[in-house]
mmCIF file of all heavy atoms in Angstrom:
data_model
loop_
_atom_site.group_PDB
_atom_site.id
_atom_site.type_symbol
_atom_site.label_atom_id
_atom_site.label_comp_id
_atom_site.label_asym_id
_atom_site.label_seq_id
_atom_site.Cartn_x
_atom_site.Cartn_y
_atom_site.Cartn_z
ATOM 1 N N PHE A 1 27.145 15.519 20.906
ATOM 2 C CA PHE A 1 27.801 14.266 21.291
ATOM 3 C C PHE A 1 29.142 14.165 20.581
ATOM 4 O O PHE A 1 29.294 14.634 19.445
ATOM 5 C CB PHE A 1 26.941 13.052 20.904
ATOM 6 C CG PHE A 1 25.608 12.988 21.595
ATOM 7 C CD1 PHE A 1 24.483 13.612 21.046
ATOM 8 C CD2 PHE A 1 25.469 12.322 22.800
ATOM 9 C CE1 PHE A 1 23.257 13.555 21.678
ATOM 10 C CE2 PHE A 1 24.234 12.256 23.446
ATOM 11 C CZ PHE A 1 23.129 12.869 22.881
ATOM 12 N N VAL A 2 30.098 13.554 21.247
ATOM 13 C CA VAL A 2 31.386 13.246 20.640
ATOM 14 C C VAL A 2 31.614 11.745 20.819
ATOM 15 O O VAL A 2 31.658 11.254 21.945
ATOM 16 C CB VAL A 2 32.540 14.042 21.278
ATOM 17 C CG1 VAL A 2 33.871 13.620 20.666
ATOM 18 C CG2 VAL A 2 32.319 15.534 21.094
ATOM 19 N N ILE A 3 31.748 11.039 19.704
ATOM 20 C CA ILE A 3 31.883 9.587 19.771
ATOM 21 C C ILE A 3 33.153 9.160 19.039
ATOM 22 O O ILE A 3 33.664 9.888 18.182
ATOM 23 C CB ILE A 3 30.656 8.880 19.144
ATOM 24 C CG1 ILE A 3 30.520 9.244 17.666
ATOM 25 C CG2 ILE A 3 29.383 9.252 19.899
ATOM 26 C CD1 ILE A 3 29.465 8.451 16.943
ATOM 27 N N PRO A 4 33.678 7.980 19.345
ATOM 28 C CA PRO A 4 34.892 7.503 18.674
ATOM 29 C C PRO A 4 34.652 7.249 17.187
ATOM 30 O O PRO A 4 33.603 6.750 16.789
ATOM 31 C CB PRO A 4 35.216 6.193 19.411
ATOM 32 C CG PRO A 4 34.437 6.252 20.670
ATOM 33 C CD PRO A 4 33.220 7.054 20.398
ATOM 34 N N TYR A 5 35.644 7.600 16.400
ATOM 35 C CA TYR A 5 35.565 7.374 14.953
ATOM 36 C C TYR A 5 36.027 5.970 14.599
ATOM 37 O O TYR A 5 37.006 5.459 15.139
ATOM 38 C CB TYR A 5 36.429 8.390 14.209
ATOM 39 C CG TYR A 5 36.612 8.051 12.745
ATOM 40 C CD1 TYR A 5 35.582 8.267 11.842
ATOM 41 C CD2 TYR A 5 37.806 7.493 12.289
ATOM 42 C CE1 TYR A 5 35.737 7.936 10.494
ATOM 43 C CE2 TYR A 5 37.968 7.163 10.947
ATOM 44 C CZ TYR A 5 36.929 7.385 10.049
ATOM 45 O OH TYR A 5 37.086 7.049 8.738
ATOM 46 N N ARG A 6 35.287 5.353 13.674
ATOM 47 C CA ARG A 6 35.707 4.092 13.084
ATOM 48 C C ARG A 6 35.533 4.204 11.568
ATOM 49 O O ARG A 6 34.595 4.871 11.113
ATOM 50 C CB ARG A 6 34.867 2.911 13.592
ATOM 51 C CG ARG A 6 34.968 2.649 15.077
ATOM 52 C CD ARG A 6 34.356 1.271 15.424
ATOM 53 N NE ARG A 6 33.048 1.074 14.862
ATOM 54 C CZ ARG A 6 31.904 1.466 15.431
ATOM 55 N NH1 ARG A 6 31.942 2.098 16.596
ATOM 56 N NH2 ARG A 6 30.735 1.220 14.861
ATOM 57 N N PRO A 7 36.377 3.569 10.802
ATOM 58 C CA PRO A 7 36.221 3.640 9.343
ATOM 59 C C PRO A 7 34.889 3.025 8.899
ATOM 60 O O PRO A 7 34.354 2.120 9.528
ATOM 61 C CB PRO A 7 37.398 2.803 8.822
ATOM 62 C CG PRO A 7 38.391 2.777 9.930
ATOM 63 C CD PRO A 7 37.573 2.800 11.205
ATOM 64 N N ASN A 8 34.355 3.587 7.828
ATOM 65 C CA ASN A 8 33.152 3.047 7.150
ATOM 66 C C ASN A 8 31.884 3.126 7.999
ATOM 67 O O ASN A 8 30.953 2.344 7.785
ATOM 68 C CB ASN A 8 33.386 1.595 6.708
ATOM 69 C CG ASN A 8 34.588 1.447 5.803
ATOM 70 O OD1 ASN A 8 34.808 2.283 4.917
ATOM 71 N ND2 ASN A 8 35.391 0.419 6.030
ATOM 72 N N MET A 9 31.817 4.039 8.923
ATOM 73 C CA MET A 9 30.600 4.212 9.724
ATOM 74 C C MET A 9 29.531 4.936 8.910
ATOM 75 O O MET A 9 29.830 5.817 8.106
ATOM 76 C CB MET A 9 30.887 5.014 11.000
ATOM 77 C CG MET A 9 31.746 4.321 12.027
ATOM 78 S SD MET A 9 32.031 5.375 13.486
ATOM 79 C CE MET A 9 30.402 5.392 14.241
ATOM 80 N N ASN A 10 28.284 4.552 9.144
ATOM 81 C CA ASN A 10 27.180 5.351 8.627
ATOM 82 C C ASN A 10 26.526 6.082 9.800
ATOM 83 O O ASN A 10 26.941 5.935 10.958
ATOM 84 C CB ASN A 10 26.167 4.484 7.870
ATOM 85 C CG ASN A 10 25.569 3.379 8.726
ATOM 86 O OD1 ASN A 10 25.752 3.346 9.941
ATOM 87 N ND2 ASN A 10 24.842 2.467 8.104
ATOM 88 N N VAL A 11 25.512 6.889 9.520
ATOM 89 C CA VAL A 11 24.876 7.675 10.582
ATOM 90 C C VAL A 11 24.206 6.768 11.609
ATOM 91 O O VAL A 11 24.226 7.053 12.806
ATOM 92 C CB VAL A 11 23.871 8.681 9.976
ATOM 93 C CG1 VAL A 11 23.036 9.347 11.066
ATOM 94 C CG2 VAL A 11 24.606 9.742 9.165
ATOM 95 N N ILE A 12 23.628 5.659 11.152
ATOM 96 C CA ILE A 12 23.022 4.706 12.082
ATOM 97 C C ILE A 12 24.070 4.175 13.061
ATOM 98 O O ILE A 12 23.803 4.032 14.263
ATOM 99 C CB ILE A 12 22.372 3.529 11.316
ATOM 100 C CG1 ILE A 12 21.197 4.021 10.467
ATOM 101 C CG2 ILE A 12 21.909 2.441 12.288
ATOM 102 C CD1 ILE A 12 19.988 4.460 11.229
ATOM 103 N N SER A 13 25.269 3.888 12.575
ATOM 104 C CA SER A 13 26.344 3.403 13.446
ATOM 105 C C SER A 13 26.662 4.421 14.529
ATOM 106 O O SER A 13 26.901 4.063 15.688
ATOM 107 C CB SER A 13 27.605 3.110 12.625
ATOM 108 O OG SER A 13 27.367 2.128 11.655
ATOM 109 N N ALA A 14 26.667 5.704 14.152
ATOM 110 C CA ALA A 14 26.944 6.756 15.128
ATOM 111 C C ALA A 14 25.843 6.833 16.185
ATOM 112 O O ALA A 14 26.119 6.983 17.386
ATOM 113 C CB ALA A 14 27.085 8.092 14.407
ATOM 114 N N LEU A 15 24.590 6.695 15.747
ATOM 115 C CA LEU A 15 23.479 6.725 16.697
ATOM 116 C C LEU A 15 23.502 5.506 17.622
ATOM 117 O O LEU A 15 23.161 5.608 18.805
ATOM 118 C CB LEU A 15 22.152 6.784 15.932
ATOM 119 C CG LEU A 15 21.865 8.108 15.211
ATOM 120 C CD1 LEU A 15 20.657 7.973 14.296
ATOM 121 C CD2 LEU A 15 21.648 9.242 16.212
ATOM 122 N N LEU A 16 23.914 4.375 17.084
ATOM 123 C CA LEU A 16 24.036 3.178 17.917
ATOM 124 C C LEU A 16 25.137 3.347 18.960
ATOM 125 O O LEU A 16 25.026 2.839 20.085
ATOM 126 C CB LEU A 16 24.321 1.949 17.044
ATOM 127 C CG LEU A 16 23.159 1.431 16.201
ATOM 128 C CD1 LEU A 16 23.634 0.361 15.221
ATOM 129 C CD2 LEU A 16 22.042 0.878 17.077
ATOM 130 N N GLU A 17 26.188 4.059 18.608
ATOM 131 C CA GLU A 17 27.266 4.330 19.554
ATOM 132 C C GLU A 17 26.763 5.201 20.703
ATOM 133 O O GLU A 17 27.105 4.987 21.864
ATOM 134 C CB GLU A 17 28.432 5.015 18.837
ATOM 135 C CG GLU A 17 29.679 5.194 19.680
ATOM 136 C CD GLU A 17 30.346 3.878 20.063
ATOM 137 O OE1 GLU A 17 30.210 2.900 19.309
ATOM 138 O OE2 GLU A 17 31.002 3.845 21.129
ATOM 139 N N ILE A 18 25.915 6.174 20.384
ATOM 140 C CA ILE A 18 25.307 7.011 21.424
ATOM 141 C C ILE A 18 24.389 6.171 22.300
ATOM 142 O O ILE A 18 24.364 6.322 23.526
ATOM 143 C CB ILE A 18 24.530 8.191 20.788
ATOM 144 C CG1 ILE A 18 25.493 9.133 20.058
ATOM 145 C CG2 ILE A 18 23.737 8.949 21.855
ATOM 146 C CD1 ILE A 18 24.790 10.220 19.263
ATOM 147 N N ARG A 19 23.635 5.278 21.682
ATOM 148 C CA ARG A 19 22.753 4.402 22.462
ATOM 149 C C ARG A 19 23.565 3.516 23.416
ATOM 150 O O ARG A 19 23.163 3.279 24.551
ATOM 151 C CB ARG A 19 21.921 3.530 21.522
ATOM 152 C CG ARG A 19 21.052 2.510 22.247
ATOM 153 C CD ARG A 19 20.258 1.648 21.289
ATOM 154 N NE ARG A 19 19.206 2.407 20.627
ATOM 155 C CZ ARG A 19 18.382 1.889 19.717
ATOM 156 N NH1 ARG A 19 18.521 0.627 19.343
ATOM 157 N NH2 ARG A 19 17.446 2.634 19.172
ATOM 158 N N ARG A 20 24.704 3.034 22.936
ATOM 159 C CA ARG A 20 25.555 2.168 23.765
ATOM 160 C C ARG A 20 26.104 2.912 24.977
ATOM 161 O O ARG A 20 26.218 2.351 26.077
ATOM 162 C CB ARG A 20 26.708 1.626 22.926
ATOM 163 C CG ARG A 20 27.564 0.579 23.630
ATOM 164 C CD ARG A 20 28.755 0.179 22.786
ATOM 165 N NE ARG A 20 29.711 1.263 22.670
ATOM 166 C CZ ARG A 20 30.622 1.553 23.616
ATOM 167 N NH1 ARG A 20 30.683 0.833 24.724
ATOM 168 N NH2 ARG A 20 31.454 2.556 23.442
ATOM 169 N N ASN A 21 26.413 4.199 24.770
ATOM 170 C CA ASN A 21 27.002 4.995 25.855
ATOM 171 C C ASN A 21 26.416 6.402 25.803
ATOM 172 O O ASN A 21 27.030 7.328 25.265
ATOM 173 C CB ASN A 21 28.525 5.034 25.705
ATOM 174 C CG ASN A 21 29.195 5.733 26.867
ATOM 175 O OD1 ASN A 21 28.701 5.706 27.996
ATOM 176 N ND2 ASN A 21 30.326 6.386 26.608
ATOM 177 N N PRO A 22 25.202 6.605 26.346
ATOM 178 C CA PRO A 22 24.526 7.903 26.230
ATOM 179 C C PRO A 22 25.114 8.983 27.154
ATOM 180 O O PRO A 22 24.540 9.345 28.189
ATOM 181 C CB PRO A 22 23.075 7.576 26.597
ATOM 182 C CG PRO A 22 23.158 6.373 27.470
ATOM 183 C CD PRO A 22 24.347 5.596 27.016
ATOM 184 N N ILE A 23 26.264 9.473 26.753
ATOM 185 C CA ILE A 23 26.932 10.570 27.458
ATOM 186 C C ILE A 23 27.128 11.694 26.453
ATOM 187 O O ILE A 23 27.674 11.479 25.363
ATOM 188 C CB ILE A 23 28.310 10.134 28.009
ATOM 189 C CG1 ILE A 23 28.178 8.916 28.928
ATOM 190 C CG2 ILE A 23 28.989 11.298 28.735
ATOM 191 C CD1 ILE A 23 27.429 9.181 30.214
ATOM 192 N N ASN A 24 26.677 12.916 26.776
ATOM 193 C CA ASN A 24 26.824 14.010 25.828
ATOM 194 C C ASN A 24 28.231 14.608 25.879
ATOM 195 O O ASN A 24 29.082 14.166 26.655
ATOM 196 C CB ASN A 24 25.739 15.076 26.038
ATOM 197 C CG ASN A 24 25.826 15.748 27.401
ATOM 198 O OD1 ASN A 24 26.892 15.803 28.029
ATOM 199 N ND2 ASN A 24 24.699 16.268 27.862
ATOM 200 N N ALA A 25 28.470 15.615 25.056
ATOM 201 C CA ALA A 25 29.805 16.188 24.934
ATOM 202 C C ALA A 25 30.274 16.876 26.217
ATOM 203 O O ALA A 25 31.470 17.068 26.415
ATOM 204 C CB ALA A 25 29.833 17.176 23.771
ATOM 205 N N LYS A 26 29.338 17.237 27.097
ATOM 206 C CA LYS A 26 29.689 17.846 28.376
ATOM 207 C C LYS A 26 30.052 16.808 29.427
ATOM 208 O O LYS A 26 30.390 17.162 30.561
ATOM 209 C CB LYS A 26 28.523 18.698 28.882
ATOM 210 C CG LYS A 26 28.179 19.881 27.981
ATOM 211 C CD LYS A 26 26.977 20.642 28.539
ATOM 212 C CE LYS A 26 26.604 21.805 27.638
ATOM 213 N NZ LYS A 26 25.404 22.543 28.151
ATOM 214 N N GLY A 27 29.964 15.541 29.061
ATOM 215 C CA GLY A 27 30.241 14.466 30.007
ATOM 216 C C GLY A 27 29.068 14.117 30.884
ATOM 217 O O GLY A 27 29.215 13.372 31.863
ATOM 218 N N GLU A 28 27.878 14.611 30.533
ATOM 219 C CA GLU A 28 26.680 14.371 31.333
ATOM 220 C C GLU A 28 25.929 13.142 30.814
ATOM 221 O O GLU A 28 25.818 12.930 29.601
ATOM 222 C CB GLU A 28 25.742 15.585 31.267
ATOM 223 C CG GLU A 28 26.378 16.875 31.742
ATOM 224 C CD GLU A 28 25.550 18.103 31.375
ATOM 225 O OE1 GLU A 28 24.736 18.008 30.426
ATOM 226 O OE2 GLU A 28 25.727 19.148 32.035
ATOM 227 N N ALA A 29 25.400 12.363 31.739
ATOM 228 C CA ALA A 29 24.560 11.229 31.357
ATOM 229 C C ALA A 29 23.242 11.755 30.786
ATOM 230 O O ALA A 29 22.641 12.680 31.324
ATOM 231 C CB ALA A 29 24.311 10.336 32.563
ATOM 232 N N THR A 30 22.810 11.163 29.684
ATOM 233 C CA THR A 30 21.571 11.595 29.046
ATOM 234 C C THR A 30 20.823 10.368 28.549
ATOM 235 O O THR A 30 21.233 9.231 28.820
ATOM 236 C CB THR A 30 21.879 12.564 27.882
ATOM 237 O OG1 THR A 30 20.655 13.062 27.332
ATOM 238 C CG2 THR A 30 22.684 11.887 26.784
ATOM 239 N N THR A 31 19.743 10.582 27.856
ATOM 240 C CA THR A 31 18.984 9.457 27.287
ATOM 241 C C THR A 31 19.477 9.161 25.883
ATOM 242 O O THR A 31 20.007 10.046 25.197
ATOM 243 C CB THR A 31 17.481 9.786 27.231
ATOM 244 O OG1 THR A 31 17.297 10.994 26.488
ATOM 245 C CG2 THR A 31 16.927 9.962 28.640
#
């Protein structure tokens, strides 16, 4: 996955970003 960077993110924040927009690095919709 490739997600937008924001300052002071933790790993949970990154996982929440994936949950908000579950698209993998290939641009494919996923779970």
Side-chain angles (χ1 to χ4, degrees):
F1 297 89
V2 177
I3 61 172
Y5 169 76
R6 297 193 310 274
N8 303 319
M9 292 179 70
N10 59 10
V11 171
I12 295 290
S13 300
L15 290 170
L16 288 171
E17 187 66 28
I18 295 173
R19 175 181 290 179
R20 187 185 69 81
N21 185 31
I23 303 293
N24 63 25
K26 297 178 181 179
E28 302 167 338
T30 184
T31 56

